[in-house]
Amino acid sequence: MEAKRVFLAATGQNRGKTTTSLGLLAAIRERGLRLGFLKPVGQRYLVIDGTRADEDAVLMSDVFALPDALNDMSPVTLPRHFTTDFVMGRVAGDLGAQVRVAFERLAADKDVVVIEGTGHAGVGAVVGLSNARAARMLEAPVIIVSEGGIGRPIDEIVLNRALFAAEGVEVLGAVVNKVDAESHPHLPEVLARGLGQHGIELLGCIPYSELLANPSLELIATHLEGELLSGEAAPGRTIGWVAIGAMQARHAVELLRDRTLLITPGDREDLIEAAVAANREAATPRVAGLVLTGGFRPPASALEALRSAGLFALLVGTDTFRTAQAVEQILVKTHSGDTEKIETIVELVGGALDTDALLA
């Protein structure tokens, strides 16, 4: 029996395609179906045992313990200068054939294969393998993932649907991510009506989650150049929100909520002590960690308090404003160690999508 397949596309980068993939794969696995995952073209890749593989393929392989070779799950990756070399005729081989052969090997013993695109429908066209062309080649119907709002997601979904239609690819419908239906309960109805006017079905709205929108302490430590003074840069420890400590400690305490990342100059001993005290006095930690700015090493007593509390504290050389900007710009990606985040994704996507209807 031939494996069913579905192609998850997006309207751009960081729209929630990987989130949707994780949730969908978990739902398929829960139904006892044999599962495969394919990322035809990867732009962001890792090198595992000498093999280049897209980071999402590595993620799915780790999370779901998939048995397939990474070469098959991620047949084409684009290292630096690859597109230039391709355009100039310096790349040998048929990339489309590589994807087809990998898919055939991977799908041979599967019930369902989830295929994840890269960026919007046209990404990959420069090497003759756009998402739209890959979906056509693999005969996979498409789900388009976009981000919350009203005008932008509808515009983007309609635009991307047009490119898939030009390749003769069926679009099953759209998923809109980061929908704050709690504050705006009318949004799902408006999105469904707006997309329906273009003949596109709204398959589901994934609720907005602060946990999913924010980075882990590991990402903070990885992306900011600094010295870890205390605590652990844990991949599974996700921050809830960011607070800038530039006021008196008694006022700063009011900003410390669940899993706050506090950014403050390293010489603000009063704020450091307030953060330690806030965790000590609360049933659940209010402070996930601190980023201490300006290159100011905290006094010995404050440093000892941080270490005794096991509280993450990273010392950076940049000032508070630039540090806050850098934290804001960190690309939030899910890693296999982000257990809390993955559990939340599975719950939210499972509640948003009718997996049985999609598989039917």
Side-chain angles (χ1 to χ4, degrees), residues 11-26:
T11 58
Q13 282 190 318
N14 308 323
R15 296 295 197 270
K17 180 162 42 57
T18 303
T19 293
T20 307
S21 292
L22 273 166
L24 183 57
L25 263 65

Side-chain angles (χ1 to χ4, degrees), residues 55-125:
E55 61 184 6
D56 286 341
V58 175
L59 172 66
M60 303 305 169
S61 179
D62 289 347
V63 170
F64 298 103
L66 300 178
D68 304 291
L70 286 174
N71 276 335
D72 289 339
M73 295 177 65
S74 177
V76 176
T77 54
L78 307 182
R80 192 175 182 184
H81 306 308
F82 185 93
T83 53
T84 299
D85 290 339
F86 184 92
V87 170
M88 299 305 294
R90 294 192 289 263
V91 174
D94 184 338
L95 300 184
Q98 291 179 35
V99 171
R100 283 193 298 270
V101 169
F103 175 80
E104 288 167 5
R105 279 197 297 259
L106 188 144
D109 59 349
K110 304 298 191 303
D111 296 312
V112 184
V113 177
V114 174
I115 306 159
E116 185 183 297
T118 300
H120 58 70
V123 170

Side-chain angles (χ1 to χ4, degrees), residues 215-223 232-237 312 335 337-338:
S216 66
L217 293 179
E218 180 187 46
L219 276 180
I220 295 294
T222 300
H223 286 76
E232 181 185 0
R237 182 69 169 152
F312 171 91
H335 298 268
D338 295 336

Side-chain angles (χ1 to χ4, degrees), residues 221 226-233 290 297 307 311-315:
E227 177 189 355
L228 186 63
L229 297 180
S230 69
E232 181 185 0
L290 296 89
R297 201 173 190 85
R307 288 173 176 168
L311 194 54
F312 171 91
L314 185 72
L315 178 65

Side-chain angles (χ1 to χ4, degrees), residues 320-336:
T320 300
F321 175 73
R322 288 180 175 81
T323 302
Q325 282 187 317
V327 170
E328 181 69 23
Q329 291 168 4
I330 290 175
L331 176 63
V332 179
K333 294 292 289 183
T334 303
H335 298 268
S336 58

Side-chain angles (χ1 to χ4, degrees), residues 20-347:
T20 307
S21 292
L22 273 166
L24 183 57
L25 263 65
I28 292 169
R29 173 62 61 83
E30 285 174 3
R31 283 153 177 78
L33 298 172
R34 294 170 299 173
L35 174 66
F37 177 86
L38 176 73
K39 185 76 176 255
V41 179
Q43 291 181 306
R44 296 170 57 90
Y45 62 84
L46 305 171
V47 179
I48 308 293
D49 297 329
T51 298
R52 285 202 314 262
D54 180 86
E55 61 184 6
D56 286 341
V58 175
L59 172 66
M60 303 305 169
S61 179
D62 289 347
V63 170
F64 298 103
L66 300 178
D68 304 291
L70 286 174
N71 276 335
D72 289 339
M73 295 177 65
S74 177
V76 176
T77 54
L78 307 182
R80 192 175 182 184
H81 306 308
F82 185 93
T83 53
T84 299
D85 290 339
F86 184 92
V87 170
M88 299 305 294
R90 294 192 289 263
V91 174
D94 184 338
L95 300 184
Q98 291 179 35
V99 171
R100 283 193 298 270
V101 169
F103 175 80
E104 288 167 5
R105 279 197 297 259
L106 188 144
D109 59 349
K110 304 298 191 303
D111 296 312
V112 184
V113 177
V114 174
I115 306 159
E116 185 183 297
T118 300
H120 58 70
V123 170
V126 67
V127 295
L129 200 56
S130 70
N131 287 308
R133 182 163 293 183
R136 183 195 69 187
M137 181 177 67
L138 298 174
E139 299 179 350
V142 169
I143 295 172
I144 301 175
V145 181
S146 189
E147 205 172 53
I150 297 175
R152 189 178 79 166
I154 292 174
D155 289 346
E156 290 182 344
I157 291 166
V158 170
L159 176 63
N160 279 267
R161 193 270 303 267
L163 190 50
F164 284 112
E167 291 283 354
V169 175
E170 176 189 6
V171 172
L172 297 174
V175 172
V176 181
N177 185 36
K178 297 183 182 178
V179 175
D180 189 1
E182 192 171 310
S183 300
H184 306 285
H186 64 287
L187 273 178
E189 180 184 355
V190 173
L191 286 165
R193 182 181 290 263
L195 289 168
Q197 290 171 353
H198 297 275
I200 302 170
E201 182 181 355
L202 177 64
L203 300 173
C205 291
I206 301 173
Y208 174 80
S209 166
E210 274 194 351
L211 178 67
L212 302 187
N214 293 328
S216 66
L217 293 179
E218 180 187 46
L219 276 180
I220 295 294
T222 300
H223 286 76
L224 300 183
E225 188 174 336
E227 177 189 355
L228 186 63
L229 297 180
S230 69
E232 181 185 0
R237 182 69 169 152
T238 305
I239 68 173
W241 81 305
V242 177
I244 309 298
M247 68 292 288
Q248 292 183 12
R250 60 191 178 91
H251 296 307
V253 169
E254 300 172 5
L255 299 176
L256 302 179
R257 296 184 258 179
D258 184 33
R259 302 190 313 277
T260 297
L261 180 72
L262 178 63
I263 302 175
T264 189
D267 58 359
R268 288 297 302 270
E269 185 173 4
D270 56 337
L271 289 177
I272 294 172
E273 291 175 350
V276 173
N279 274 13
R280 187 170 55 241
E281 296 164 5
T284 57
R286 292 166 63 185
V287 181
L290 296 89
V291 178
L292 305 175
T293 64
F296 302 120
R297 201 173 190 85
S301 58
L303 188 55
E304 176 57 33
L306 287 168
R307 288 173 176 168
S308 295
L311 194 54
F312 171 91
L314 185 72
L315 178 65
V316 299
T318 50
D319 61 41
T320 300
F321 175 73
R322 288 180 175 81
T323 302
Q325 282 187 317
V327 170
E328 181 69 23
Q329 291 168 4
I330 290 175
L331 176 63
V332 179
K333 294 292 289 183
T334 303
H335 298 268
S336 58
D338 295 336
T339 52
E340 184 183 8
K341 183 180 278 191
I342 292 171
E343 288 171 4
T344 301
I345 287 171
V346 170
E347 180 181 349

